[in-house]
Amino acid sequence: MAQTAFAPWDDPDERPLIEFRGVSKRFGDFTAIDDLTLNIFEREFFALLGPSGCGKTTMMRMLAGFESVTEGHIWLGGQDIIDIPPNKRPVNMMFQNYALFPHLSIWENIAFGLKREGRPKDEIAARVDEMLRLTRLGRFAKRKPHQISGGQRQRVALARSLAKAPKLLLLDEPLGALDRKLREETQFELMDIQEKTGTTFVIVTHDQEEAMTVASRIAVMDEGRLVQVATPDVIYEAPASVYVADFIGDVNIVEGRATPEGAGLRIDWAEGQAPIAARSDSAFARGQSCHFAIRPEKVTIDTERPDRPNAFRGKVIDIAYLGNISTYHVELAGGQMIKAQMVNARRLANRQITWDDEVWVGFTETAGVVLEG
Amino acid sequence: MRRVVLIAVPYLWLLALFLVPFVIVLKISLSDIALARPPYLPQLDLSAGWQGVREFLSGLDLENFVFLTTDDLYWKAYLSSLRIALVSTLLTLLVGYPIAYGMARAAREWRPTLLMLVILPFWTSFLIRVYAWMGILSTEGVLNNVLLFLGVIDEPLQIMNTNTAVYIGIVYTYLPFMILPIYAALEKMDDSLLEAAEDLGCSRLQAFWLVTWPLSRNGIVAGCFLVFIPTIGEFVIPSLLGGSDTLMIGKVLWEEFFSNRDWPVASAVAVVLLAILIVPIILFQRNEQKAREAEG
């Protein structure tokens, strides 16, 4: 059975759960958020991605109600929430340091929000037990936060913020404190829980891999503005700007001048070098300066000239061996460095390319993207 | 060997400066008053050998402790001391907590200055500070003059030489002992806990009672004991600021010792006072240990 793709952002009839309308936030002279407009839909797993200081945390804190809005409006489920205090919003937050109450047991931590709603005791107990099951914490219910591990604390924080069944769950760098292996496991666990509960998640992270793994859509931010909002594959394959291309994953960027030629473009990038043949959806004027961005895994490396539209000679300067893959840093004639990635299907001993080898790098016309400016 | 020496140092210290003096006080409390120098009997006469030790021991009795129970001055003084200590501790907490809270919430760069201001009074003699309060509280004092000038009162208030003055003096003197442990507890608290509480549906006030207050509990308990324990035996403040109706065991002890020159009864009073104080001191130590374990 084919599943219909989850893409409410493409459906013009779909009403967004959250709407930022012309939202700005200024701290004195400093503009943290600059006239930002954004829609987030129900059941989405939405990632705010950017370097520290880009305004992603401020945006999340405005959703939670800890930060006021200088200009503009935020709508949540058809209600303007900018004047609603944090304790009255149907929004819960999972804090970066988890912010578990050290004087309360795990059980009491999870029950904390439910008790404030004044629900009957047995109902609270049933809900807490359900949350403990969901996060596999049943055995630790009676312990205090300082008596469990970091990964378990992370799950308690998640259970506590989900207990009230919020319309929207905010996650502030939720996996930042975990080691790599646990982080990867937990990413899938998060997605699983998000799917089970059907809650809308907004996650703040500076880890692009994490955003790519968990999110249905990613908003890349820079200096208080949205640079691109799209699905992970679009962000990766068709970045809207050099900034996005550079921020997400590894990329080769070649500066040059575009010339339309037939169905594609010709990019002159260095004296005495053959131009790069590329394709682009956007139109370029003759001689317009551009950046050609191509991912290392889309560049092949061979000892002989490959039969590809683009092939350039170079010398291997450096090899980064990562076990499953190797990245070759190849210097082309004229000094341009190109990274090419290859899967290490063979064992290391049989590797035929090594330092200082003369090699050919190659890629197809559609492998890269041409960006303005 | 080095370890033994290291551990021996504090024990020798306690032995020489606490246990030996206490044994002397205990011995005097079991003796009888006498017109002699020192003013009590029996004296240990080691030159008489074994016979002397036996005579010395047979001369000791619990007479003075029995005497404390026959005169209701003593138990009234103990009770009154406990009451004054309890009330002053609560008052100090009421005044001290908001100050500690304000300090912990103040901007980070202000905190060392505020901390300094709390400790600053210790740089002046305690006695002079209490005398200063006499100048403020007396009938012709600063406070009455200001209130009269402002027209708040028509006649000077009689504060000096009442229990009120004693409370003011104790709260003022012991305030830093309350503020510092509470401040230490509050300052360690992570602000995001309050945000988490609000996020989960608490109002600001609820967040205070459900998060801030319990997390500062160790500091509160420590502060209360640090005020309560020395206040019970307080002598200077009640004798300088209090009146004839201010009954505190420290004052009684002083009078027994210096006015009546009845060293044995004075010592008995001191021994009983120590026995009373042991309970809160043990509780205080236990609280400190629990706090350390929770942090550990």
PDB file of all heavy atoms in Angstrom, chain A residues 303-329:
ATOM      1  N   THR A 303      41.345   7.262 -11.966  1.00  0.00           N
ATOM      2  CA  THR A 303      42.732   7.426 -12.411  1.00  0.00           C
ATOM      3  C   THR A 303      42.773   7.774 -13.902  1.00  0.00           C
ATOM      4  O   THR A 303      43.755   8.311 -14.386  1.00  0.00           O
ATOM      5  CB  THR A 303      43.546   6.142 -12.173  1.00  0.00           C
ATOM      6  OG1 THR A 303      42.767   5.047 -12.639  1.00  0.00           O
ATOM      7  CG2 THR A 303      43.845   5.962 -10.711  1.00  0.00           C
ATOM      8  N   GLU A 304      41.687   7.417 -14.618  1.00  0.00           N
ATOM      9  CA  GLU A 304      41.630   7.762 -16.035  1.00  0.00           C
ATOM     10  C   GLU A 304      40.473   8.691 -16.306  1.00  0.00           C
ATOM     11  O   GLU A 304      39.516   8.736 -15.546  1.00  0.00           O
ATOM     12  CB  GLU A 304      41.485   6.487 -16.864  1.00  0.00           C
ATOM     13  CG  GLU A 304      42.852   5.952 -17.248  1.00  0.00           C
ATOM     14  CD  GLU A 304      42.834   4.475 -17.467  1.00  0.00           C
ATOM     15  OE1 GLU A 304      41.876   3.998 -18.093  1.00  0.00           O
ATOM     16  OE2 GLU A 304      43.767   3.817 -16.985  1.00  0.00           O
ATOM     17  N   ARG A 305      40.564   9.411 -17.412  1.00  0.00           N
ATOM     18  CA  ARG A 305      39.526  10.375 -17.737  1.00  0.00           C
ATOM     19  C   ARG A 305      38.175   9.681 -17.840  1.00  0.00           C
ATOM     20  O   ARG A 305      38.006   8.757 -18.637  1.00  0.00           O
ATOM     21  CB  ARG A 305      39.844  11.077 -19.056  1.00  0.00           C
ATOM     22  CG  ARG A 305      38.931  12.259 -19.290  1.00  0.00           C
ATOM     23  CD  ARG A 305      39.004  12.818 -20.688  1.00  0.00           C
ATOM     24  NE  ARG A 305      37.793  13.602 -20.903  1.00  0.00           N
ATOM     25  CZ  ARG A 305      37.732  14.912 -20.721  1.00  0.00           C
ATOM     26  NH1 ARG A 305      38.793  15.588 -20.407  1.00  0.00           N
ATOM     27  NH2 ARG A 305      36.589  15.544 -20.886  1.00  0.00           N
ATOM     28  N   PRO A 306      37.188  10.090 -16.983  1.00  0.00           N
ATOM     29  CA  PRO A 306      35.888   9.431 -17.032  1.00  0.00           C
ATOM     30  C   PRO A 306      35.045   9.984 -18.191  1.00  0.00           C
ATOM     31  O   PRO A 306      35.293  11.088 -18.661  1.00  0.00           O
ATOM     32  CB  PRO A 306      35.264   9.804 -15.692  1.00  0.00           C
ATOM     33  CG  PRO A 306      35.873  11.116 -15.358  1.00  0.00           C
ATOM     34  CD  PRO A 306      37.239  11.169 -16.006  1.00  0.00           C
ATOM     35  N   ASP A 307      34.075   9.187 -18.594  1.00  0.00           N
ATOM     36  CA  ASP A 307      33.190   9.604 -19.676  1.00  0.00           C
ATOM     37  C   ASP A 307      32.023  10.391 -19.079  1.00  0.00           C
ATOM     38  O   ASP A 307      30.923   9.876 -18.916  1.00  0.00           O
ATOM     39  CB  ASP A 307      32.687   8.356 -20.411  1.00  0.00           C
ATOM     40  CG  ASP A 307      31.806   8.754 -21.582  1.00  0.00           C
ATOM     41  OD1 ASP A 307      31.961   9.900 -22.061  1.00  0.00           O
ATOM     42  OD2 ASP A 307      30.966   7.928 -21.982  1.00  0.00           O
ATOM     43  N   ARG A 308      32.312  11.627 -18.663  1.00  0.00           N
ATOM     44  CA  ARG A 308      31.284  12.441 -18.019  1.00  0.00           C
ATOM     45  C   ARG A 308      31.329  13.827 -18.615  1.00  0.00           C
ATOM     46  O   ARG A 308      32.380  14.249 -19.133  1.00  0.00           O
ATOM     47  CB  ARG A 308      31.545  12.537 -16.508  1.00  0.00           C
ATOM     48  CG  ARG A 308      31.551  11.165 -15.843  1.00  0.00           C
ATOM     49  CD  ARG A 308      31.358  11.302 -14.367  1.00  0.00           C
ATOM     50  NE  ARG A 308      30.332  10.371 -13.932  1.00  0.00           N
ATOM     51  CZ  ARG A 308      29.678  10.466 -12.790  1.00  0.00           C
ATOM     52  NH1 ARG A 308      29.918  11.448 -11.981  1.00  0.00           N
ATOM     53  NH2 ARG A 308      28.764   9.591 -12.482  1.00  0.00           N
ATOM     54  N   PRO A 309      30.202  14.556 -18.566  1.00  0.00           N
ATOM     55  CA  PRO A 309      30.181  15.900 -19.175  1.00  0.00           C
ATOM     56  C   PRO A 309      31.235  16.830 -18.576  1.00  0.00           C
ATOM     57  O   PRO A 309      31.750  17.713 -19.247  1.00  0.00           O
ATOM     58  CB  PRO A 309      28.792  16.421 -18.860  1.00  0.00           C
ATOM     59  CG  PRO A 309      27.981  15.207 -18.527  1.00  0.00           C
ATOM     60  CD  PRO A 309      28.904  14.185 -17.992  1.00  0.00           C
ATOM     61  N   ASN A 310      31.534  16.634 -17.297  1.00  0.00           N
ATOM     62  CA  ASN A 310      32.546  17.460 -16.660  1.00  0.00           C
ATOM     63  C   ASN A 310      33.661  16.570 -16.122  1.00  0.00           C
ATOM     64  O   ASN A 310      33.396  15.645 -15.346  1.00  0.00           O
ATOM     65  CB  ASN A 310      31.951  18.250 -15.492  1.00  0.00           C
ATOM     66  CG  ASN A 310      30.915  19.248 -15.963  1.00  0.00           C
ATOM     67  OD1 ASN A 310      31.229  20.210 -16.659  1.00  0.00           O
ATOM     68  ND2 ASN A 310      29.647  18.986 -15.621  1.00  0.00           N
ATOM     69  N   ALA A 311      34.873  16.825 -16.563  1.00  0.00           N
ATOM     70  CA  ALA A 311      36.005  16.051 -16.050  1.00  0.00           C
ATOM     71  C   ALA A 311      37.216  16.965 -15.964  1.00  0.00           C
ATOM     72  O   ALA A 311      37.495  17.735 -16.888  1.00  0.00           O
ATOM     73  CB  ALA A 311      36.293  14.868 -16.962  1.00  0.00           C
ATOM     74  N   PHE A 312      37.876  16.943 -14.801  1.00  0.00           N
ATOM     75  CA  PHE A 312      39.024  17.838 -14.612  1.00  0.00           C
ATOM     76  C   PHE A 312      40.182  17.059 -13.989  1.00  0.00           C
ATOM     77  O   PHE A 312      39.976  16.175 -13.161  1.00  0.00           O
ATOM     78  CB  PHE A 312      38.649  19.008 -13.690  1.00  0.00           C
ATOM     79  CG  PHE A 312      37.487  19.812 -14.211  1.00  0.00           C
ATOM     80  CD1 PHE A 312      36.194  19.579 -13.758  1.00  0.00           C
ATOM     81  CD2 PHE A 312      37.691  20.790 -15.181  1.00  0.00           C
ATOM     82  CE1 PHE A 312      35.132  20.310 -14.249  1.00  0.00           C
ATOM     83  CE2 PHE A 312      36.625  21.519 -15.669  1.00  0.00           C
ATOM     84  CZ  PHE A 312      35.337  21.285 -15.213  1.00  0.00           C
ATOM     85  N   ARG A 313      41.386  17.441 -14.417  1.00  0.00           N
ATOM     86  CA  ARG A 313      42.577  16.801 -13.876  1.00  0.00           C
ATOM     87  C   ARG A 313      42.991  17.458 -12.568  1.00  0.00           C
ATOM     88  O   ARG A 313      42.833  18.667 -12.394  1.00  0.00           O
ATOM     89  CB  ARG A 313      43.724  16.945 -14.867  1.00  0.00           C
ATOM     90  CG  ARG A 313      43.944  15.748 -15.737  1.00  0.00           C
ATOM     91  CD  ARG A 313      45.145  15.975 -16.617  1.00  0.00           C
ATOM     92  NE  ARG A 313      46.347  15.432 -15.999  1.00  0.00           N
ATOM     93  CZ  ARG A 313      46.654  14.139 -16.031  1.00  0.00           C
ATOM     94  NH1 ARG A 313      45.849  13.282 -16.624  1.00  0.00           N
ATOM     95  NH2 ARG A 313      47.749  13.694 -15.451  1.00  0.00           N
ATOM     96  N   GLY A 314      43.556  16.672 -11.688  1.00  0.00           N
ATOM     97  CA  GLY A 314      44.042  17.255 -10.431  1.00  0.00           C
ATOM     98  C   GLY A 314      44.959  16.303  -9.701  1.00  0.00           C
ATOM     99  O   GLY A 314      45.256  15.211 -10.197  1.00  0.00           O
ATOM    100  N   LYS A 315      45.404  16.762  -8.524  1.00  0.00           N
ATOM    101  CA  LYS A 315      46.330  15.963  -7.737  1.00  0.00           C
ATOM    102  C   LYS A 315      45.739  15.752  -6.343  1.00  0.00           C
ATOM    103  O   LYS A 315      45.191  16.698  -5.750  1.00  0.00           O
ATOM    104  CB  LYS A 315      47.666  16.709  -7.631  1.00  0.00           C
ATOM    105  CG  LYS A 315      48.797  15.837  -7.146  1.00  0.00           C
ATOM    106  CD  LYS A 315      50.135  16.504  -7.360  1.00  0.00           C
ATOM    107  CE  LYS A 315      50.460  17.410  -6.215  1.00  0.00           C
ATOM    108  NZ  LYS A 315      51.814  17.970  -6.274  1.00  0.00           N
ATOM    109  N   VAL A 316      45.860  14.557  -5.812  1.00  0.00           N
ATOM    110  CA  VAL A 316      45.319  14.269  -4.472  1.00  0.00           C
ATOM    111  C   VAL A 316      46.233  14.912  -3.424  1.00  0.00           C
ATOM    112  O   VAL A 316      47.427  14.626  -3.369  1.00  0.00           O
ATOM    113  CB  VAL A 316      45.229  12.747  -4.224  1.00  0.00           C
ATOM    114  CG1 VAL A 316      44.737  12.477  -2.804  1.00  0.00           C
ATOM    115  CG2 VAL A 316      44.311  12.103  -5.242  1.00  0.00           C
ATOM    116  N   ILE A 317      45.669  15.800  -2.641  1.00  0.00           N
ATOM    117  CA  ILE A 317      46.441  16.496  -1.610  1.00  0.00           C
ATOM    118  C   ILE A 317      46.252  15.815  -0.264  1.00  0.00           C
ATOM    119  O   ILE A 317      47.171  15.661   0.528  1.00  0.00           O
ATOM    120  CB  ILE A 317      45.997  17.980  -1.510  1.00  0.00           C
ATOM    121  CG1 ILE A 317      46.242  18.696  -2.842  1.00  0.00           C
ATOM    122  CG2 ILE A 317      46.682  18.690  -0.355  1.00  0.00           C
ATOM    123  CD1 ILE A 317      47.698  18.816  -3.237  1.00  0.00           C
ATOM    124  N   ASP A 318      45.033  15.412  -0.009  1.00  0.00           N
ATOM    125  CA  ASP A 318      44.694  14.898   1.321  1.00  0.00           C
ATOM    126  C   ASP A 318      43.609  13.839   1.202  1.00  0.00           C
ATOM    127  O   ASP A 318      42.772  13.919   0.301  1.00  0.00           O
ATOM    128  CB  ASP A 318      44.167  16.052   2.183  1.00  0.00           C
ATOM    129  CG  ASP A 318      44.910  16.115   3.499  1.00  0.00           C
ATOM    130  OD1 ASP A 318      45.402  15.058   3.941  1.00  0.00           O
ATOM    131  OD2 ASP A 318      45.000  17.220   4.061  1.00  0.00           O
ATOM    132  N   ILE A 319      43.641  12.881   2.101  1.00  0.00           N
ATOM    133  CA  ILE A 319      42.580  11.871   2.122  1.00  0.00           C
ATOM    134  C   ILE A 319      42.064  11.786   3.560  1.00  0.00           C
ATOM    135  O   ILE A 319      42.849  11.589   4.488  1.00  0.00           O
ATOM    136  CB  ILE A 319      43.078  10.486   1.680  1.00  0.00           C
ATOM    137  CG1 ILE A 319      43.729  10.572   0.294  1.00  0.00           C
ATOM    138  CG2 ILE A 319      41.938   9.475   1.685  1.00  0.00           C
ATOM    139  CD1 ILE A 319      44.407   9.281  -0.137  1.00  0.00           C
ATOM    140  N   ALA A 320      40.769  11.998   3.715  1.00  0.00           N
ATOM    141  CA  ALA A 320      40.163  11.818   5.039  1.00  0.00           C
ATOM    142  C   ALA A 320      39.468  10.477   5.043  1.00  0.00           C
ATOM    143  O   ALA A 320      38.475  10.276   4.341  1.00  0.00           O
ATOM    144  CB  ALA A 320      39.176  12.945   5.323  1.00  0.00           C
ATOM    145  N   TYR A 321      40.019   9.558   5.801  1.00  0.00           N
ATOM    146  CA  TYR A 321      39.471   8.200   5.851  1.00  0.00           C
ATOM    147  C   TYR A 321      38.478   8.123   7.004  1.00  0.00           C
ATOM    148  O   TYR A 321      38.834   8.350   8.162  1.00  0.00           O
ATOM    149  CB  TYR A 321      40.613   7.215   6.051  1.00  0.00           C
ATOM    150  CG  TYR A 321      40.164   5.801   6.273  1.00  0.00           C
ATOM    151  CD1 TYR A 321      39.562   5.089   5.242  1.00  0.00           C
ATOM    152  CD2 TYR A 321      40.341   5.189   7.497  1.00  0.00           C
ATOM    153  CE1 TYR A 321      39.149   3.783   5.437  1.00  0.00           C
ATOM    154  CE2 TYR A 321      39.936   3.887   7.699  1.00  0.00           C
ATOM    155  CZ  TYR A 321      39.334   3.181   6.664  1.00  0.00           C
ATOM    156  OH  TYR A 321      38.921   1.899   6.867  1.00  0.00           O
ATOM    157  N   LEU A 322      37.211   7.876   6.710  1.00  0.00           N
ATOM    158  CA  LEU A 322      36.183   7.850   7.758  1.00  0.00           C
ATOM    159  C   LEU A 322      35.653   6.440   7.993  1.00  0.00           C
ATOM    160  O   LEU A 322      34.626   6.251   8.589  1.00  0.00           O
ATOM    161  CB  LEU A 322      35.020   8.768   7.375  1.00  0.00           C
ATOM    162  CG  LEU A 322      35.378  10.240   7.197  1.00  0.00           C
ATOM    163  CD1 LEU A 322      34.195  10.995   6.641  1.00  0.00           C
ATOM    164  CD2 LEU A 322      35.819  10.857   8.513  1.00  0.00           C
ATOM    165  N   GLY A 323      36.344   5.452   7.461  1.00  0.00           N
ATOM    166  CA  GLY A 323      35.875   4.088   7.647  1.00  0.00           C
ATOM    167  C   GLY A 323      34.987   3.680   6.495  1.00  0.00           C
ATOM    168  O   GLY A 323      35.438   3.038   5.543  1.00  0.00           O
ATOM    169  N   ASN A 324      33.712   4.104   6.572  1.00  0.00           N
ATOM    170  CA  ASN A 324      32.787   3.700   5.517  1.00  0.00           C
ATOM    171  C   ASN A 324      33.028   4.464   4.226  1.00  0.00           C
ATOM    172  O   ASN A 324      32.864   3.955   3.129  1.00  0.00           O
ATOM    173  CB  ASN A 324      31.346   3.852   5.985  1.00  0.00           C
ATOM    174  CG  ASN A 324      31.025   5.245   6.465  1.00  0.00           C
ATOM    175  OD1 ASN A 324      31.929   6.022   6.786  1.00  0.00           O
ATOM    176  ND2 ASN A 324      29.756   5.577   6.503  1.00  0.00           N
ATOM    177  N   ILE A 325      33.435   5.730   4.351  1.00  0.00           N
ATOM    178  CA  ILE A 325      33.725   6.514   3.157  1.00  0.00           C
ATOM    179  C   ILE A 325      35.080   7.189   3.307  1.00  0.00           C
ATOM    180  O   ILE A 325      35.611   7.292   4.419  1.00  0.00           O
ATOM    181  CB  ILE A 325      32.648   7.605   2.895  1.00  0.00           C
ATOM    182  CG1 ILE A 325      32.484   8.466   4.144  1.00  0.00           C
ATOM    183  CG2 ILE A 325      31.340   7.003   2.443  1.00  0.00           C
ATOM    184  CD1 ILE A 325      31.665   9.695   3.925  1.00  0.00           C
ATOM    185  N   SER A 326      35.615   7.640   2.165  1.00  0.00           N
ATOM    186  CA  SER A 326      36.827   8.446   2.195  1.00  0.00           C
ATOM    187  C   SER A 326      36.557   9.718   1.415  1.00  0.00           C
ATOM    188  O   SER A 326      35.866   9.694   0.400  1.00  0.00           O
ATOM    189  CB  SER A 326      37.993   7.717   1.549  1.00  0.00           C
ATOM    190  OG  SER A 326      38.434   6.684   2.394  1.00  0.00           O
ATOM    191  N   THR A 327      37.070  10.846   1.943  1.00  0.00           N
ATOM    192  CA  THR A 327      36.965  12.092   1.203  1.00  0.00           C
ATOM    193  C   THR A 327      38.346  12.448   0.668  1.00  0.00           C
ATOM    194  O   THR A 327      39.311  12.507   1.421  1.00  0.00           O
ATOM    195  CB  THR A 327      36.452  13.216   2.123  1.00  0.00           C
ATOM    196  OG1 THR A 327      35.230  12.784   2.714  1.00  0.00           O
ATOM    197  CG2 THR A 327      36.203  14.491   1.343  1.00  0.00           C
ATOM    198  N   TYR A 328      38.414  12.653  -0.645  1.00  0.00           N
ATOM    199  CA  TYR A 328      39.678  13.013  -1.296  1.00  0.00           C
ATOM    200  C   TYR A 328      39.671  14.506  -1.553  1.00  0.00           C
ATOM    201  O   TYR A 328      38.724  15.029  -2.136  1.00  0.00           O
ATOM    202  CB  TYR A 328      39.831  12.258  -2.620  1.00  0.00           C
ATOM    203  CG  TYR A 328      39.918  10.766  -2.445  1.00  0.00           C
ATOM    204  CD1 TYR A 328      38.760  10.005  -2.321  1.00  0.00           C
ATOM    205  CD2 TYR A 328      41.144  10.120  -2.384  1.00  0.00           C
ATOM    206  CE1 TYR A 328      38.819   8.633  -2.148  1.00  0.00           C
ATOM    207  CE2 TYR A 328      41.212   8.750  -2.212  1.00  0.00           C
ATOM    208  CZ  TYR A 328      40.052   8.004  -2.089  1.00  0.00           C
ATOM    209  OH  TYR A 328      40.116   6.647  -1.906  1.00  0.00           O
ATOM    210  N   HIS A 329      40.720  15.170  -1.113  1.00  0.00           N
ATOM    211  CA  HIS A 329      40.861  16.592  -1.422  1.00  0.00           C
ATOM    212  C   HIS A 329      41.766  16.689  -2.641  1.00  0.00           C
ATOM    213  O   HIS A 329      42.939  16.356  -2.569  1.00  0.00           O
ATOM    214  CB  HIS A 329      41.469  17.334  -0.237  1.00  0.00           C
ATOM    215  CG  HIS A 329      40.567  17.348   0.955  1.00  0.00           C
ATOM    216  ND1 HIS A 329      40.098  18.502   1.522  1.00  0.00           N
ATOM    217  CD2 HIS A 329      40.023  16.334   1.676  1.00  0.00           C
ATOM    218  CE1 HIS A 329      39.319  18.198   2.542  1.00  0.00           C
ATOM    219  NE2 HIS A 329      39.259  16.886   2.659  1.00  0.00           N
TER     220      HIS A 329
END
